[in-house]
Amino acid sequence: MPGFELFGDKEKKQVQDVLDSGVLMRYGFDGMRNGHWKTKELEVALASRMQSQYAHAVSSGTAALTVALSSAGVGAGDEVILPTFTFVASFESILALGAIPILVDIDDTLTLDPKAVEKAVTERTKVVMPVHMCGSMADLNALQQICDQHGLLLLEDACQAIGGSYHGKPLGSIGDLGCFSFDYVKTITCGEGGAVITNSETYYENAHKYSDHGHDHIGNDRGAEAHPFLGYNFRISELNAAVGLAQLSRLDEFLAIQKRNYTILRESLSEIPEIRFRRVPEGGEENYSFLSFFLPSEELTQKAHQALGANGIDGCFYWYNNNWHYYKKWEHLTQLKSLGKLPQEILDSLPDYSQADFSASDKWMGRTISCLIKLGWSKEEMKLRAQKMVSTIQELV
Ligand SMILES: *Cc1c(COP(=O)(O)O)cnc(C)c1O
């Protein structure tokens, strides 16, 4: 997955342009820039690649989620449905706006289970947020139907899935809003960065204003810009955008490597009849950044994960015990541990997660191993790795 594995001349050239002009800010300083508008170029290239009307780049994926939600008017007391398997940024962005994160079970796609989503919809629900974890998606048609039926927004967290698609459309472009992360370990990296894509002019207009203190960006005089509403600073710098611009131009090259390495590993693991792969919904194509599979029992999965590590096979994750990605270890959320005083809406409305039953999620997560697919691995290295993995697991099953 990480694009940083393949930094090269393109990244250097783009960054050098920015340093030569000295303008690290995405707005203004027109006379000094030598015509370099790296963030704008990144936005145009991303919108085009994602077949989306608008793209707005920001400082991180977390910022993208926060900006996307606020651009659609999500705020205090609104409920946002998200999966039990995600990254902590999902609920951070929701809580930052005073909205309520409603955790919902996953299924064998390792993302939102549409049936569980349907059950979780209330009068306060505003958004359904599928998270395309490890490069693959939920059954988005089913989720779209639920959203249409109840008048909800579909917001795709595609932070880990850039380049994947669903019925021919790029992941991120299917919902009302889509978010990407370009942090240091993502398929395309800016160092730190993110982006929101949408076909809604209103959301786009809100997004670029909100992420720059509410400035309306009309005219050339920064100091004279009006403030139609309160905002924040989620701006990306030109240096970061320059790296991302080079990386985005290499997306297809990266995806081809990921697909090659994923396929080698998948074909090898298919020799083990006890292994079942994560379900990719009909019409979906992963971005091949991870290969995720289930073993028959939790006990066996834990043993296999340990044995892989002990045999020096890095990059295999057992998310069930992971602090960052699974609800079990999120006591800061479930116990509402906050530095400051939280908005009353959140205190009043957060579900009692200590009583929640996520056994349906546990059933899948407890048996899941996800293997990171690195860009730097050659075909030969990948084959050796795959053989080593197969023999390690075969000894246990
Ligand atoms: C990385 C990630 C984010 C947050 O992105 P940052 O750029 O690190 O803030 C959000 N959601 C998911 C699923 C992620 O993997």
Side-chain angles (χ1 to χ4, degrees):
M1 174 153 93
F4 72 73
E5 292 180 79
L6 299 182
F7 282 157
D9 291 342
K10 281 190 177 170
E11 286 80 0
K12 286 179 195 155
K13 161 80 174 65
Q14 291 290 352
V15 172
Q16 196 62 50
D17 283 350
V18 176
L19 291 176
D20 287 347
S21 73
V23 181
L24 309 190
M25 168 84 164
R26 68 157 299 173
Y27 297 113
F29 302 93
D30 297 27
M32 289 167 62
R33 320 186 64 102
N34 276 337
H36 295 309
W37 298 89
K38 300 299 183 190
T39 308
K40 278 189 197 171
E41 280 183 53
L42 174 63
E43 290 167 345
V44 169
L46 186 69
S48 159
R49 180 65 174 74
M50 294 303 148
Q51 299 168 28
S52 199
Q53 289 283 321
Y54 305 99
H56 179 65
V58 289
S59 50
S60 70
T62 313
L65 291 167
T66 311
V67 169
L69 289 167
S70 54
S71 75
V74 177
D78 292 335
E79 293 181 354
V80 180
I81 289 174
L82 73 160
T84 51
F85 174 45
T86 178
F87 177 50
V88 294
S90 306
F91 57 78
E92 287 169 350
S93 62
I94 297 164
L95 291 170
L97 299 168
I100 318 295
I102 304 292
L103 295 175
V104 162
D105 272 323
I106 55 166
D107 59 18
D108 57 347
T109 64
L110 300 183
T111 61
L112 281 179
D113 173 4
K115 286 193 215 82
V117 170
E118 180 87 64
K119 279 194 206 135
V121 173
T122 71
E123 282 183 351
R124 300 170 77 175
T125 310
K126 202 81 184 268
V127 183
V128 176
M129 186 198 279
V131 183
H132 307 324
M133 284 298 282
C134 303
S136 186
M137 76 297 313
D139 185 344
L140 292 170
N141 280 346
L143 294 180
Q144 184 68 65
Q145 263 177 20
I146 296 169
C147 290
D148 291 346
Q149 199 180 336
H150 298 277
L152 311 175
L153 293 166
L154 185 64
L155 191 165
E156 296 176 72
D157 177 340
C159 288
Q160 293 193 7
I162 193 163
S165 66
Y166 183 73
H167 289 287
K169 286 189 189 164
L171 291 178
S173 73
I174 294 142
D176 301 279
L177 292 142
C179 293
F180 296 105
S181 164
F182 305 127
D183 80 19
Y184 184 55
V185 296
K186 297 301 202 285
T187 300
I188 294 297
T189 183
C190 291
E192 297 285 0
V196 181
I197 60 171
T198 181
N199 288 324
S200 158
E201 188 181 356
T202 307
Y203 297 161
Y204 167 70
E205 282 296 323
N206 288 343
H208 77 73
K209 291 172 184 133
Y210 181 75
S211 52
D212 183 27
H213 307 289
H215 295 326
D216 66 8
H217 303 137
I218 294 171
N220 287 329
D221 183 354
R222 286 279 290 161
E225 285 173 75
H227 309 109
F229 47 73
L230 292 166
Y232 214 82
N233 178 4
F234 290 121
R235 289 188 312 257
I236 189 171
S237 91
E238 286 285 275
L239 280 172
N240 295 95
V243 178
L245 189 56
Q247 289 255 300
L248 184 62
S249 75
R250 305 176 64 188
L251 177 58
D252 290 323
E253 175 197 337
F254 292 178
L255 292 173
I257 299 172
Q258 285 184 173
K259 185 169 182 176
R260 180 198 69 200
N261 286 349
Y262 170 109
T263 307
I264 292 171
L265 185 56
R266 182 160 178 147
E267 280 173 5
S268 296
L269 290 174
S270 299
E271 292 167 22
I272 305 173
E274 288 82 359
I275 281 186
R276 185 177 148 194
F277 295 99
R278 166 192 200 166
R279 180 167 65 87
V280 177
E282 190 247 313
E285 178 164 13
E286 301 178 66
N287 79 345
Y288 306 104
S289 51
F290 284 85
L291 176 63
S292 302
F293 59 88
F294 309 115
L295 285 167
S297 72
E298 189 181 317
E299 195 194 344
L300 184 61
T301 313
Q302 297 210 9
K303 274 193 192 149
H305 178 248
Q306 272 167 13
L308 289 167
N311 284 353
I313 301 162
D314 60 336
C316 294
F317 297 94
Y318 184 56
W319 303 121
Y320 193 61
N321 284 342
N322 183 282
N323 280 0
W324 292 8
H325 293 288
Y326 198 50
Y327 82 93
K328 273 187 182 298
K329 299 277 177 78
W330 294 340
E331 71 288 343
H332 58 327
L333 168 68
T334 54
Q335 295 168 26
L336 284 176
K337 291 181 183 172
S338 167
L339 281 179
K341 196 163 180 283
L342 286 164
Q344 200 59 40
E345 274 86 359
I346 296 176
L347 296 171
D348 292 344
S349 314
L350 194 81
D352 181 2
Y353 283 121
S354 66
Q355 303 298 317
D357 173 14
F358 292 125
S359 51
S361 300
D362 293 342
K363 190 183 94 179
W364 294 112
M365 226 52 232
R367 300 196 287 119
T368 303
I369 291 178
S370 290
C371 304
L372 179 65
I373 303 293
K374 284 201 185 168
L375 295 169
W377 289 330
S378 70
K379 217 166 136 180
E380 286 64 37
E381 277 174 278
M382 197 65 220
K383 281 184 182 161
L384 281 176
R385 245 185 111 74
Q387 276 164 15
K388 221 168 153 186
M389 277 188 71
V390 168
S391 57
T392 303
I393 297 173
Q394 249 164 357
E395 265 182 39
L396 299 169
V397 292

